[in-house]
Amino acid sequence: MSTKVGIPRALLFHEYAPLWTTFFEELGAQVIISENTNKTILNEGVQSTVDDACLPVKLFHGHVLNLKDKVDYIFIPRIMSLFKGEHICPKFCGLPEMIKNSIKDLPKIISTEIDFIKSKNNLNETIYEIGKYFSNDFNDISRAYDIAYLKFEKYKKNTLNNIPNTNNKKIMLMGHSYNLYDTYVNMNAINKISSNQIDVLTPQMIDDIHINEYSKKYKGKLFWTFARKLIGTTLYLIENKNVDGIIYVSSFGCGIDSIIVNTIERYIKRKSNIPFMLLTLDEHTGEGGLNTRIEAFIDMIKWRDKDEGNISAHG
Ligand code: SF4
């Protein structure tokens, strides 16, 4: 029987799923992904986490609990840095310890450090560290990674090609992938918007080439990967005027967002008249309130159109 490796359907799973799942499968493991977020996962995650953690970290705990009795290993890498010269949110660095301290009777945790702050020179070492749980043959591990990376590239390309080509109004749903693509947490915000004949874009649909190019227009160095991506996306949208509104979906207690959102909002107000709205979610957010805010935002966009932009974009 093949070894079972669990991957929590949370945090960066929403970006790297094809890479991680293919890599383990190519090494002969059976990959088990936690269920879609549901009430039990949310409640158990909240109960097992310290109060002041952000919602995505609480959810991550819930997804680990969902997996813990079903697998031999759980993949929880210690992510320090994904790109040269950039940091990631500190919550990712301490995640394996946090999980081990909060949840009892866990299977073995694959908590290999991923740290590319200086360069990706140690990529092979990192891959080997993870792959050796399933194979001792470096060539085998390297082959598995190459196949996984190709699949990941293809997935990213498909996401880019997903931009709807219609005359509908367009709203950019901005934020961390795990807030945008977890439909339970954001109460299906994408569907709520698109059911109004509005096309929804996410930062994952913007080519990294544009994001990197426009992030350089930011005055100052962007040390945070999330900041580079989201500020780069905003500056690209402002200059190319290709959306009719921007909704930022954030989580209560996110330190990174408290800085990014402020910067993004200032840029939008100063350099464009694109309407902007911040939606902050936590475990108590009610669906009624969320619906009202989204509907009001969409109405405002439609009225502005009729009224030739005489309605203020920012209230
Ligand atoms: S970036 Fe924000 S939401 Fe994401 S893990 Fe860090 S604190 Fe939580």
Side-chain angles (χ1 to χ4, degrees), residues 11 52-58 88-92 95 176 178-179 226 250-258 260:
L11 292 176
D52 55 359
C54 61
L55 181 60
V57 165
K58 290 178 181 169
I88 192 159
C89 165
K91 302 264 168 68
F92 287 84
L95 203 54
H176 305 285
Y178 37 90
N179 287 332
F226 292 140
S250 178
S251 317
F252 186 75
C254 173
I256 303 277
D257 275 0
S258 63
I260 299 178

mmCIF file of all heavy atoms in Angstrom, residues 11 52-58 88-92 95 176 178-179 226 250-258 260, ligand 1:
data_model
loop_
_atom_site.group_PDB
_atom_site.id
_atom_site.type_symbol
_atom_site.label_atom_id
_atom_site.label_comp_id
_atom_site.label_asym_id
_atom_site.label_seq_id
_atom_site.Cartn_x
_atom_site.Cartn_y
_atom_site.Cartn_z
ATOM 1 N N LEU A 11 -4.171 28.114 2.936
ATOM 2 C CA LEU A 11 -3.009 28.976 2.670
ATOM 3 C C LEU A 11 -2.472 28.757 1.244
ATOM 4 O O LEU A 11 -3.240 28.785 0.291
ATOM 5 C CB LEU A 11 -1.935 28.776 3.746
ATOM 6 C CG LEU A 11 -2.366 29.284 5.144
ATOM 7 C CD1 LEU A 11 -1.306 28.967 6.188
ATOM 8 C CD2 LEU A 11 -2.666 30.781 5.161
ATOM 9 N N ASP A 52 -5.603 35.403 18.721
ATOM 10 C CA ASP A 52 -5.205 36.522 17.864
ATOM 11 C C ASP A 52 -4.636 36.094 16.498
ATOM 12 O O ASP A 52 -4.144 36.926 15.739
ATOM 13 C CB ASP A 52 -4.234 37.472 18.591
ATOM 14 C CG ASP A 52 -3.024 36.730 19.111
ATOM 15 O OD1 ASP A 52 -2.978 35.503 18.921
ATOM 16 O OD2 ASP A 52 -2.139 37.385 19.695
ATOM 17 N N ALA A 53 -4.722 34.801 16.177
ATOM 18 C CA ALA A 53 -4.274 34.373 14.832
ATOM 19 C C ALA A 53 -5.270 34.886 13.790
ATOM 20 O O ALA A 53 -6.450 35.090 14.086
ATOM 21 C CB ALA A 53 -4.188 32.859 14.785
ATOM 22 N N CYS A 54 -4.788 35.066 12.567
ATOM 23 C CA CYS A 54 -5.689 35.495 11.496
ATOM 24 C C CYS A 54 -6.567 34.315 11.064
ATOM 25 O O CYS A 54 -6.227 33.151 11.324
ATOM 26 C CB CYS A 54 -4.877 36.007 10.307
ATOM 27 S SG CYS A 54 -3.806 34.737 9.636
ATOM 28 N N LEU A 55 -7.649 34.618 10.394
ATOM 29 C CA LEU A 55 -8.584 33.567 9.982
ATOM 30 C C LEU A 55 -7.923 32.471 9.116
ATOM 31 O O LEU A 55 -8.149 31.283 9.345
ATOM 32 C CB LEU A 55 -9.775 34.206 9.243
ATOM 33 C CG LEU A 55 -10.857 33.259 8.774
ATOM 34 C CD1 LEU A 55 -11.492 32.502 9.927
ATOM 35 C CD2 LEU A 55 -11.937 34.014 7.996
ATOM 36 N N PRO A 56 -7.084 32.809 8.111
ATOM 37 C CA PRO A 56 -6.478 31.743 7.301
ATOM 38 C C PRO A 56 -5.620 30.775 8.109
ATOM 39 O O PRO A 56 -5.581 29.584 7.810
ATOM 40 C CB PRO A 56 -5.625 32.517 6.277
ATOM 41 C CG PRO A 56 -6.302 33.845 6.170
ATOM 42 C CD PRO A 56 -6.794 34.149 7.545
ATOM 43 N N VAL A 57 -4.952 31.272 9.146
ATOM 44 C CA VAL A 57 -4.136 30.374 9.990
ATOM 45 C C VAL A 57 -5.058 29.479 10.830
ATOM 46 O O VAL A 57 -4.807 28.288 11.010
ATOM 47 C CB VAL A 57 -3.151 31.194 10.848
ATOM 48 C CG1 VAL A 57 -2.557 30.350 11.970
ATOM 49 C CG2 VAL A 57 -2.033 31.748 9.970
ATOM 50 N N LYS A 58 -6.149 30.050 11.324
ATOM 51 C CA LYS A 58 -7.107 29.230 12.080
ATOM 52 C C LYS A 58 -7.658 28.129 11.174
ATOM 53 O O LYS A 58 -7.774 26.978 11.566
ATOM 54 C CB LYS A 58 -8.264 30.108 12.578
ATOM 55 C CG LYS A 58 -7.857 31.077 13.681
ATOM 56 C CD LYS A 58 -9.021 31.954 14.098
ATOM 57 C CE LYS A 58 -8.596 32.925 15.186
ATOM 58 N NZ LYS A 58 -9.565 33.954 15.461
ATOM 59 N N ILE A 88 8.297 36.407 3.337
ATOM 60 C CA ILE A 88 6.874 36.076 3.317
ATOM 61 C C ILE A 88 6.348 36.362 4.720
ATOM 62 O O ILE A 88 7.124 36.596 5.637
ATOM 63 C CB ILE A 88 6.668 34.608 2.865
ATOM 64 C CG1 ILE A 88 5.206 34.350 2.551
ATOM 65 C CG2 ILE A 88 7.214 33.610 3.845
ATOM 66 C CD1 ILE A 88 4.993 33.155 1.664
ATOM 67 N N CYS A 89 5.056 36.374 4.875
ATOM 68 C CA CYS A 89 4.480 36.671 6.191
ATOM 69 C C CYS A 89 5.075 35.744 7.259
ATOM 70 O O CYS A 89 5.176 34.522 7.048
ATOM 71 C CB CYS A 89 2.965 36.475 6.100
ATOM 72 S SG CYS A 89 2.171 36.368 7.699
ATOM 73 N N PRO A 90 5.482 36.282 8.420
ATOM 74 C CA PRO A 90 6.128 35.468 9.463
ATOM 75 C C PRO A 90 5.268 34.293 9.936
ATOM 76 O O PRO A 90 5.787 33.318 10.463
ATOM 77 C CB PRO A 90 6.346 36.459 10.611
ATOM 78 C CG PRO A 90 6.159 37.808 10.030
ATOM 79 C CD PRO A 90 5.365 37.696 8.774
ATOM 80 N N LYS A 91 3.964 34.385 9.730
ATOM 81 C CA LYS A 91 3.093 33.269 10.169
ATOM 82 C C LYS A 91 3.478 31.966 9.456
ATOM 83 O O LYS A 91 3.325 30.881 10.001
ATOM 84 C CB LYS A 91 1.619 33.569 9.854
ATOM 85 C CG LYS A 91 1.088 34.839 10.493
ATOM 86 C CD LYS A 91 0.379 34.536 11.802
ATOM 87 C CE LYS A 91 0.083 35.770 12.616
ATOM 88 N NZ LYS A 91 -0.888 36.666 12.076
ATOM 89 N N PHE A 92 3.970 32.086 8.209
ATOM 90 C CA PHE A 92 4.335 30.891 7.448
ATOM 91 C C PHE A 92 5.600 30.239 8.018
ATOM 92 O O PHE A 92 5.782 29.041 7.900
ATOM 93 C CB PHE A 92 4.572 31.227 5.967
ATOM 94 C CG PHE A 92 3.294 31.521 5.220
ATOM 95 C CD1 PHE A 92 2.724 32.771 5.249
ATOM 96 C CD2 PHE A 92 2.661 30.520 4.496
ATOM 97 C CE1 PHE A 92 1.552 33.037 4.571
ATOM 98 C CE2 PHE A 92 1.484 30.769 3.815
ATOM 99 C CZ PHE A 92 0.927 32.040 3.850
ATOM 100 N N LEU A 95 4.623 28.166 11.161
ATOM 101 C CA LEU A 95 3.437 27.310 11.048
ATOM 102 C C LEU A 95 3.639 25.874 11.572
ATOM 103 O O LEU A 95 2.808 25.381 12.339
ATOM 104 C CB LEU A 95 2.959 27.304 9.593
ATOM 105 C CG LEU A 95 1.505 26.946 9.355
ATOM 106 C CD1 LEU A 95 0.550 27.803 10.174
ATOM 107 C CD2 LEU A 95 1.175 27.088 7.874
ATOM 108 N N HIS A 176 -5.181 37.864 -0.878
ATOM 109 C CA HIS A 176 -4.406 36.620 -0.873
ATOM 110 C C HIS A 176 -5.243 35.496 -1.489
ATOM 111 O O HIS A 176 -6.451 35.422 -1.255
ATOM 112 C CB HIS A 176 -4.019 36.249 0.558
ATOM 113 C CG HIS A 176 -3.285 37.352 1.259
ATOM 114 N ND1 HIS A 176 -1.981 37.663 0.986
ATOM 115 C CD2 HIS A 176 -3.696 38.253 2.181
ATOM 116 C CE1 HIS A 176 -1.603 38.688 1.727
ATOM 117 N NE2 HIS A 176 -2.628 39.068 2.460
ATOM 118 N N TYR A 178 -5.742 32.556 -0.769
ATOM 119 C CA TYR A 178 -6.539 31.718 0.137
ATOM 120 C C TYR A 178 -7.798 32.426 0.615
ATOM 121 O O TYR A 178 -8.711 31.788 1.105
ATOM 122 C CB TYR A 178 -5.705 31.222 1.327
ATOM 123 C CG TYR A 178 -4.696 32.215 1.861
ATOM 124 C CD1 TYR A 178 -5.035 33.107 2.864
ATOM 125 C CD2 TYR A 178 -3.403 32.245 1.369
ATOM 126 C CE1 TYR A 178 -4.105 34.001 3.366
ATOM 127 C CE2 TYR A 178 -2.460 33.139 1.860
ATOM 128 C CZ TYR A 178 -2.816 34.018 2.859
ATOM 129 O OH TYR A 178 -1.904 34.914 3.353
ATOM 130 N N ASN A 179 -7.859 33.738 0.496
ATOM 131 C CA ASN A 179 -9.113 34.434 0.801
ATOM 132 C C ASN A 179 -10.036 34.472 -0.414
ATOM 133 O O ASN A 179 -11.253 34.507 -0.285
ATOM 134 C CB ASN A 179 -8.837 35.873 1.256
ATOM 135 C CG ASN A 179 -8.251 35.923 2.649
ATOM 136 O OD1 ASN A 179 -8.509 35.030 3.457
ATOM 137 N ND2 ASN A 179 -7.457 36.934 2.940
ATOM 138 N N PHE A 226 3.924 39.243 -0.859
ATOM 139 C CA PHE A 226 2.512 39.574 -1.040
ATOM 140 C C PHE A 226 2.347 41.044 -1.449
ATOM 141 O O PHE A 226 1.494 41.385 -2.259
ATOM 142 C CB PHE A 226 1.716 39.318 0.249
ATOM 143 C CG PHE A 226 1.594 37.861 0.611
ATOM 144 C CD1 PHE A 226 1.702 37.434 1.928
ATOM 145 C CD2 PHE A 226 1.346 36.906 -0.371
ATOM 146 C CE1 PHE A 226 1.575 36.091 2.266
ATOM 147 C CE2 PHE A 226 1.220 35.566 -0.046
ATOM 148 C CZ PHE A 226 1.335 35.160 1.279
ATOM 149 N N SER A 250 -9.912 40.897 2.685
ATOM 150 C CA SER A 250 -8.842 40.741 3.678
ATOM 151 C C SER A 250 -9.357 39.928 4.870
ATOM 152 O O SER A 250 -10.549 39.660 4.987
ATOM 153 C CB SER A 250 -8.404 42.129 4.138
ATOM 154 O OG SER A 250 -7.413 42.026 5.126
ATOM 155 N N SER A 251 -8.413 39.530 5.725
ATOM 156 C CA SER A 251 -8.814 38.783 6.932
ATOM 157 C C SER A 251 -8.536 39.646 8.138
ATOM 158 O O SER A 251 -7.479 40.286 8.219
ATOM 159 C CB SER A 251 -7.977 37.527 7.116
ATOM 160 O OG SER A 251 -7.802 36.880 5.933
ATOM 161 N N PHE A 252 -9.442 39.592 9.081
ATOM 162 C CA PHE A 252 -9.245 40.320 10.325
ATOM 163 C C PHE A 252 -7.949 39.815 10.983
ATOM 164 O O PHE A 252 -7.693 38.617 11.014
ATOM 165 C CB PHE A 252 -10.452 40.072 11.244
ATOM 166 C CG PHE A 252 -10.406 40.880 12.490
ATOM 167 C CD1 PHE A 252 -10.701 42.227 12.459
ATOM 168 C CD2 PHE A 252 -10.033 40.296 13.697
ATOM 169 C CE1 PHE A 252 -10.636 42.991 13.616
ATOM 170 C CE2 PHE A 252 -9.970 41.049 14.848
ATOM 171 C CZ PHE A 252 -10.273 42.400 14.806
ATOM 172 N N GLY A 253 -7.122 40.726 11.430
ATOM 173 C CA GLY A 253 -5.896 40.325 12.127
ATOM 174 C C GLY A 253 -4.704 40.126 11.207
ATOM 175 O O GLY A 253 -3.666 39.652 11.647
ATOM 176 N N CYS A 254 -4.839 40.470 9.920
ATOM 177 C CA CYS A 254 -3.705 40.297 9.002
ATOM 178 C C CYS A 254 -2.809 41.543 9.059
ATOM 179 O O CYS A 254 -3.193 42.618 8.600
ATOM 180 C CB CYS A 254 -4.198 40.065 7.576
ATOM 181 S SG CYS A 254 -2.839 40.037 6.384
ATOM 182 N N GLY A 255 -1.618 41.357 9.627
ATOM 183 C CA GLY A 255 -0.684 42.475 9.762
ATOM 184 C C GLY A 255 -0.204 42.973 8.410
ATOM 185 O O GLY A 255 -0.050 44.175 8.188
ATOM 186 N N ILE A 256 0.039 42.052 7.482
ATOM 187 C CA ILE A 256 0.547 42.428 6.161
ATOM 188 C C ILE A 256 -0.498 43.284 5.436
ATOM 189 O O ILE A 256 -0.182 44.325 4.859
ATOM 190 C CB ILE A 256 0.849 41.150 5.329
ATOM 191 C CG1 ILE A 256 1.840 40.254 6.041
ATOM 192 C CG2 ILE A 256 1.282 41.487 3.920
ATOM 193 C CD1 ILE A 256 3.276 40.573 5.902
ATOM 194 N N ASP A 257 -1.758 42.847 5.502
ATOM 195 C CA ASP A 257 -2.805 43.593 4.803
ATOM 196 C C ASP A 257 -3.002 44.989 5.387
ATOM 197 O O ASP A 257 -3.387 45.910 4.677
ATOM 198 C CB ASP A 257 -4.141 42.831 4.858
ATOM 199 C CG ASP A 257 -4.244 41.808 3.746
ATOM 200 O OD1 ASP A 257 -3.292 41.707 2.954
ATOM 201 O OD2 ASP A 257 -5.270 41.104 3.663
ATOM 202 N N SER A 258 -2.760 45.125 6.697
ATOM 203 C CA SER A 258 -2.995 46.453 7.284
ATOM 204 C C SER A 258 -2.083 47.475 6.609
ATOM 205 O O SER A 258 -2.428 48.654 6.501
ATOM 206 C CB SER A 258 -2.792 46.428 8.794
ATOM 207 O OG SER A 258 -1.459 46.095 9.080
ATOM 208 N N ILE A 260 -0.590 46.836 3.298
ATOM 209 C CA ILE A 260 -0.827 46.789 1.842
ATOM 210 C C ILE A 260 -2.121 47.528 1.466
ATOM 211 O O ILE A 260 -2.147 48.308 0.518
ATOM 212 C CB ILE A 260 -0.947 45.335 1.339
ATOM 213 C CG1 ILE A 260 0.321 44.545 1.599
ATOM 214 C CG2 ILE A 260 -1.260 45.303 -0.151
ATOM 215 C CD1 ILE A 260 0.224 43.098 1.151
HETATM 216 S S1 SF4 B 1 -0.495 37.366 5.213
HETATM 217 FE FE1 SF4 B 1 -2.092 37.927 6.664
HETATM 218 S S2 SF4 B 1 -3.758 36.497 6.286
HETATM 219 FE FE2 SF4 B 1 -1.903 35.623 5.390
HETATM 220 S S3 SF4 B 1 -1.066 34.291 6.976
HETATM 221 FE FE3 SF4 B 1 -0.058 36.304 7.156
HETATM 222 S S4 SF4 B 1 -1.293 37.402 8.679
HETATM 223 FE FE4 SF4 B 1 -2.512 35.668 7.972
#
